[in-house]
């Protein structure tokens, strides 16, 4: 890896150093969403672009992956646009499609006045729908160092110091590709991490067919967005916020992997559980915690907190409670944790999981309407749930619903 020597000669070393610093932060992130967010942040700050999006190659199409747009939404606000779900074919009907098809970087000064011989079209439908005016575009293919295309990044509306839209400078057109290789590698890693976790979830799903990939991706996304708002409200430093948001999305997806240890006749029972059966099921929290005992990474640490504590309740009536040795055979439930004794990520997942369990069908229950589920969440404030988390959840309902639409089934 690294740059070929000739490239060092081409650019002033201060710019290379600044790019290396930007790239380094990619390595701290695990999840694909956090990685895409970071790549757009760095590419936009390097080019002073108002907006940008990344599309990911998915067989013969490009799937929309992430978007930034300073004009349409603030970075700190909950944003349902990032959960929009669509893809475009890899062909020259779109700019990103053309870039994927040919591997060429495309720089456009004015999207509405393309040269008549332009090999691609600009689709103004997105602008019209969003109420935005695209002018200058820089679209770059994202290749790994092995030359495999991972996606396309499109930067939109470079600005001068006064905020006026200008074309992308030639220098920027040369610098962005340096970031692109490393971005592609980070994206690859992010996709692999997500797939690895979904594979773990599948093992649990074989046991509990209702605990699906879609369910856990929703719980992961709700949790990440709730955390984001919590962190903004508590003025958490941006880098710390981004790292924790990254971790909670993945760790929340693993909240119920401990169900692998619960016998089928209990887990798949179509009716209400007996008291003994429910006592057995409570152990899924402890079994989950055991999986992350060797806390070698921050992801393990958070996964442990969430797996162990996602059924604790704010008022101290949850489970498993404080257990001195979670490796003990036939482990007994301890005295419940309450309020801030419950780690914040677990307080967040507790709400996200219950909301999603209620609106989903289970072996033992029908799916509930959103209204009925929201009533349960609202009336659980201060009892089952941390009231502050409930308040934040209601503030970001449009994002919650966008997530439900994206991960269906
Ligand atoms: P789950 O299905 O993922 O449900 C997670 C949590 O959502 C539950 O935690 C509960 O707090 C909430 N929840 C789910 N369905 C309902 C409901 O119909 N009404 C209300 N008020 N809350 C609901 P809980 O109770 O600790 O259960 C943990 C896990 O135990 C459940 O995970 C599920 O796998 C199993 N389970 C719970 N009750 C039953 C049951 O009656 N029959 C069967 N077969 N399994 C059950
Ligand atoms: C988009 O801008 O969302 C993709 C279509 C295009 O590149 O023209
Ligand atoms: C653990 O065993 O790490 C959690 C139980 C406790 O906090 O006492
Ligand atoms: Fe659970
Ligand atoms: Fe669950």
């Amino acid at each position: 890896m690294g740059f070929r020597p000739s490239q060092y000669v081409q650019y002033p070393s201060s710019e290379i150093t600044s790019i290396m610093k930007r790239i380094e932060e990619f390595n701290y992130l695990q999840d694909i969403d956090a990685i895409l967010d970071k790549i757009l942040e760095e590419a936009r700050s390097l080019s002073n672009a108002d907006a940008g999006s990344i599309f990911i190659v998915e067989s013969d199409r490009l799937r929309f992956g992430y978007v930034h747009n300073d004009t349409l939404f603030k970075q700190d606000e909950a944003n349902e646009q990032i959960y929009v779900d669509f893809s475009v074919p890899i062909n020259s009907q779109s700019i990103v499609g053309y870039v994927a098809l040919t591997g060429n970087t495309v720089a456009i000064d004015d999207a509405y006045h393309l040269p008549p011989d332009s090999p691609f079209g600009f689709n103004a439908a997105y602008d019209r729908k969003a109420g935005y005016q695209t002018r200058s575009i820089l679209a770059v293919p994202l290749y790994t160092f092995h030359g495999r295309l991972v996606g396309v990044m499109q930067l939109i509306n470079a600005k001068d110091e006064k905020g006026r839209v200008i074309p992308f400078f030639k220098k920027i057109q040369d610098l962005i590709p340096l970031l692109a290789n490393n971005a592609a590698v980070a994206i690859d890693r992010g996709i692999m991490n997500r797939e690895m976790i979904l594979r773990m979830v599948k093992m649990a799903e074989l046991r509990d067919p209702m605990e699906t990939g879609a369910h856990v991706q929703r719980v992961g996304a709700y949790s990440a967005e709730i955390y984001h708002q919590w962190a903004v409200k508590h003025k958490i430093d941006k880098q710390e916020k981004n790292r924790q948001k990254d971790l909670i999305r993945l760790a929340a997806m693993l909240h119920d992997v401990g169900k692998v240890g619960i016998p089928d006749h209990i887990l798949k029972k179509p009716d209400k559980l007996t008291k003994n059966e429910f006592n057995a099921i409570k152990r899924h929290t402890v079994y989950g915690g055991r999986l992350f005992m060797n806390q070698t990474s921050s992801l393990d640490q958070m996964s442990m907190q969430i797996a162990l504590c996602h059924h604790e309740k704010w008022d101290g009536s949850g489970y498993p409670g404080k257990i001195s040795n979670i490796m003990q055979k036939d482990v007994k439930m301890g005295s419940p944790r309450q309020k801030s004794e419950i780690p914040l990520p677990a307080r967040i997942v507790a709400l996200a999981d219950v909301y999603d369990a209620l609106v989903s069908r289970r072996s033992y229950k029908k799916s509930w309407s959103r209204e009925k589920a929201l009533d349960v969440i609202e009336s659980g404030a201060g009892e089952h749930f941390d009231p502050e988390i409930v308040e934040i959840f209601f503030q970001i309902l449009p994002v919650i619903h966008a997530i439900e639409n994206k991960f269906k089934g």
Side-chain angles (χ1 to χ4, degrees), residues 255-256 259 284-285 310-311 319 353:
H255 68 277
D256 266 346
K259 281 184 177 172
H284 79 279
T285 52
H310 71 278
H311 288 296
Y319 63 91
D353 180 38

Side-chain angles (χ1 to χ4, degrees), residues 76-83 218-233 245 348 351-352 355 374 388-404:
D76 269 355
E77 279 168 16
N79 169 19
E80 61 258 38
Q81 304 301 324
I82 60 175
Y83 293 104
R218 287 192 301 268
V219 172
Y222 304 150
S223 301
E225 298 303 332
I226 293 169
Y227 171 76
H228 181 106
Q229 287 315 306
W230 184 93
V232 169
K233 197 174 152 209
K245 184 182 179 184
I348 293 173
L351 189 159
Y355 174 72
L374 291 174
E388 186 184 9
I389 302 301
V390 173
E391 195 185 319
I392 291 171
F393 178 79
F394 278 93
Q395 280 163 7
I396 64 167
L397 267 190
V399 185
I400 300 295
H401 295 328
I403 293 166
E404 287 176 65

